[in-house]
Amino acid sequence: MKIDVLTLFPAMFAGPLDESIIKRARESGLLDLQIHNLRDYAHDRHRTVDDRPFGGGPGMLLKPEPIFEAVEHLTSGSTRIILLSPSGRTFTQAIAGELAESKELLLISGHYEGFDERVREQLADDELSIGDYVLTNGALPAMVIIDAVTRLLPGVLGDEESTQEESFSHGLLEYPQYTRPADFRGMKVPDVLLSGDHAEIARWRGEQARLRTSERRPDLL
Ligand code: JF5
C-alpha cells in the first residue's frame, strides 16, 4: 500500500513510524509511506498556507490553493483522499479494515480552525476524527490511522502477532491476564488459571471479559 501524508509538521513523523512493526512493513516494501510538507506547495515569498475566514471570526483557515496543487501533484485517479479533523466521522477498527483494502491513501492533516470548505467539497473522499478532543494539528491522528491500517495489511504481522487480532474481534474488552510468577509480592494469580481445566478457564475468561466490558464500555454490549 502507498500512503502519502500532507502536513505542515513533517518533522513530527520522524520517530513513531520508524520503529517496530511499521518500520518492518516499510523496509519489506509492504508499506510505501511518504511525508510531504504543505508549505512546499505555496507560491508566494512567505510560503503562505493560511488566511482569515470570510465573514470574520477567530483563527485562520488553510487556504485552498496549496492543498489543491498538492493533491493534483500527489494523487492518481484511485487515491483515497482523507482529511483529518475533529469534524470528521469517528475512526474505528471497521474503518481501518476498509482503508486497508485501498491501494493508495492521501492523508491531509488539518490545522488552525480547519479547511476551506471547497477542499472538503471538491477533494476529500472522507473526513476522519480519532476522537472527541482537540489537538494542535492532524499529525498525530494521521500517525494513528497509519499504524492501525498498516498492521492489517497482509503479511505485516507475524503469526504470533496475528492471533491477538482474533481475540479482539469478539467485540469485548480483553479478559485479565497474568504471567509468572504465580505469587508476586503476595498478589496471587487466580487459582482457575493454574487449574489446568481448560473449559473452566474459557468460561472464567468469557465472564471476566463481559464484566469488564459492562463496567467500562457498556456501549459495546
Ligand atoms: C485539527 C482543525 C484539524 O484535533 C484534531 C483531531 C481530533 N480528533 N481527530 C482529529 O485534528 C487537528 C484541529 C483543528 C483541523
Side-chain angles (χ1 to χ4, degrees):
M1 167 178 264
K2 181 157 191 288
I3 304 181
D4 291 287
V5 179
L6 192 59
T7 174
L8 283 172
F9 304 100
M12 286 183 69
F13 290 79
L17 306 171
D18 298 320
E19 295 283 346
S20 178
I21 292 167
I22 308 299
K23 176 186 188 171
R24 209 174 61 205
R26 297 178 76 177
E27 287 172 349
S28 72
L30 292 168
L31 173 66
D32 175 7
L33 177 66
Q34 315 248 30
I35 311 300
H36 308 272
N37 191 339
L38 176 61
R39 221 171 271 287
D40 292 343
Y41 294 90
H43 285 314
D44 64 306
R45 206 160 56 82
H46 297 105
R47 306 220 289 163
T48 309
V49 292
D50 59 334
D51 206 342
R52 295 166 16 220
F54 278 120
M60 299 286 270
L61 298 177
L62 291 174
K63 50 197 275 99
E65 302 96 315
I67 298 180
F68 271 73
E69 288 207 22
V71 165
E72 285 154 8
H73 189 259
L74 296 172
T75 63
S76 69
S78 64
T79 307
R80 185 147 176 192
I81 302 171
I82 299 170
L83 307 183
L84 288 330
S85 92
S87 307
R89 62 189 183 119
T90 308
F91 183 64
T92 62
Q93 189 64 28
I95 296 173
E98 286 170 27
L99 296 184
E101 318 236 296
S102 309
K103 229 179 89 221
E104 241 181 276
L105 300 178
L106 173 62
L107 305 180
I108 305 179
S109 170
H111 186 43
Y112 308 117
E113 301 306 309
F115 301 97
D116 183 289
E117 193 62 21
R118 291 164 293 192
V119 168
R120 263 187 198 98
E121 290 171 352
Q122 296 294 315
L123 299 181
D125 296 306
D126 211 341
E127 182 165 357
L128 297 176
S129 161
I130 61 162
D132 291 340
Y133 36 80
V134 181
L135 303 169
T136 55
N137 67 76
L140 289 166
M143 288 186 257
V144 165
I145 289 169
I146 291 163
D147 188 283
V149 169
T150 300
R151 63 184 289 288
L152 298 180
L153 299 177
V156 166
L157 296 189
D159 289 346
E160 198 88 322
E161 298 153 335
S162 295
T163 44
Q164 269 300 111
E165 189 64 25
E166 286 156 40
S167 60
F168 190 75
S169 59
H170 300 135
L172 295 178
L173 300 186
E174 200 47 271
Y175 48 75
Q177 300 197 85
Y178 301 84
T179 186
R180 294 187 293 182
D183 181 341
F184 174 63
R185 300 185 178 181
M187 296 175 278
K188 305 267 201 330
V189 171
D191 284 334
V192 59
L193 297 178
L194 311 176
S195 69
D197 183 342
H198 295 293
E200 185 57 21
I201 289 169
R203 193 204 58 74
W204 182 85
R205 284 176 167 169
E207 175 186 69
Q208 291 294 314
R210 285 186 295 275
L211 273 171
R212 180 169 279 190
T213 305
S214 86
E215 196 57 40
R216 299 182 185 177
R217 294 294 307 278
D219 57 300
L220 294 179
L221 290 174

